[in-house]
């Protein structure tokens, strides 16, 4: 009897007046030597898109060390993944989706990882920096320091490094 009631409810549901919110999930991960030079960390990026709203998709970026412990997490909007040449296109939403997905799958490209994130000749500017002088100098004076850099909304360049002495990831 319960099965008949469920079947009746499903058949009588009007999808035109009660639209179903479908979400699409994307996931990518890459391994890089970041927090440890002997063991690679796993960089993960997950995007959840409700319906076709790619610009407002939730993007979760996190890093796990070789033991599986999460050492960094950040949440972004889908719009953050656009590259400099990828402008939104209201007349062609497929193009917007395609360019956002290009940014998604390019996020962990090797070009975003580099050593010596702060060159020796760059001076510390307290009012402009996200980190204190001691952290800045620790980054600047470590020739083996690996940084990961990504761009948010075509404007803000974010770099992160793992400070071994502090056992944490810092943004600068």
């Amino acid at each position: 009897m319960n099965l008949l009631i469920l079947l009746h409810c499903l058949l009588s549901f009007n999808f035109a007046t009660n639209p179903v919110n479908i979400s699409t999930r994307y996931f990518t991960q890459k391994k890089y030597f970041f927090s440890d030079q002997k063991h690679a960390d796993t960089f993960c990026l997950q995007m959840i898109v409700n319906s076709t709203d790619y610009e407002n998709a939730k993007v979760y970026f996190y890093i796990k060390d070789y033991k599986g412990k999460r050492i960094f997490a950040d949440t972004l909007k889908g719009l953050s993944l656009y590259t400099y040449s990828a402008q939104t296109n209201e007349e062609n939403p497929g193009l917007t989706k395609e360019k956002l997905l290009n940014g998604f799958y390019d996020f962990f490209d090797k070009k975003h990882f580099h050593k010596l994130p702060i060159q020796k000749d760059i001076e510390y500017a307290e009012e402009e920096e996200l980190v204190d002088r001691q952290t800045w100098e620790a980054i600047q004076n470590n020739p083996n320091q690996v940084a990961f850099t990504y761009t948010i909304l075509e404007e803000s360049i974010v770099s992160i490094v793992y400070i071994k002495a502090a056992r944490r990831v810092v943004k600068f």
Side-chain angles (χ1 to χ4, degrees), residues 108-139:
F108 296 134
D109 189 272
K110 287 183 181 183
K111 68 185 174 213
H112 300 288
F113 292 85
H114 48 91
K115 286 194 173 188
L116 290 173
I118 302 174
Q119 301 297 317
K120 292 285 186 191
D121 60 343
I122 297 177
E123 294 290 324
Y124 178 77
E126 187 171 345
E127 64 279 353
E128 296 175 18
E129 299 307 327
L130 298 175
V131 295
D132 58 73
R133 181 181 294 277
Q134 183 179 2
T135 303
W136 171 273
E137 289 173 356
I139 296 168

Side-chain angles (χ1 to χ4, degrees), residues 3-126:
L3 184 59
L4 287 175
I5 293 171
L6 178 63
L7 184 59
H8 174 52
C9 289
L10 287 173
L11 292 174
S12 64
F13 187 79
N14 185 341
F15 286 98
T17 58
N18 299 309
V20 176
N21 189 4
I22 298 172
S23 65
T24 306
R25 295 174 184 267
Y26 297 88
F27 182 80
T28 186
Q29 68 180 21
K30 299 264 175 116
K31 291 199 177 274
Y32 290 101
F33 293 93
F34 181 70
S35 68
D36 188 316
Q37 292 183 356
K38 294 179 184 172
H39 304 95
D41 298 309
T42 305
F43 283 68
C44 303
L45 196 65
Q46 179 181 15
M47 180 170 59
I48 301 171
V49 182
N50 287 326
S51 191
T52 58
D53 190 6
Y54 281 83
E55 293 179 13
N56 291 306
K58 297 266 190 233
V59 180
Y60 303 99
F61 165 37
Y62 57 96
I63 306 168
K64 296 185 293 185
D65 68 10
Y66 75 97
K67 294 178 183 176
K69 179 183 174 194
R70 191 174 286 198
I71 59 172
F72 179 77
D74 199 2
T75 304
L76 312 166
K77 279 190 171 183
L79 189 61
S80 301
L81 299 176
Y82 284 116
T83 58
Y84 290 102
S85 62
Q87 300 297 318
T88 61
N89 188 338
E90 293 176 9
E91 295 174 12
N92 186 351
L95 184 61
T96 299
K97 173 185 172 183
E98 177 184 324
K99 289 189 177 204
L100 184 136
L101 288 175
N102 285 342
F104 179 82
Y105 289 113
D106 181 63
F107 198 76
F108 296 134
D109 189 272
K110 287 183 181 183
K111 68 185 174 213
H112 300 288
F113 292 85
H114 48 91
K115 286 194 173 188
L116 290 173
I118 302 174
Q119 301 297 317
K120 292 285 186 191
D121 60 343
I122 297 177
E123 294 290 324
Y124 178 77
E126 187 171 345

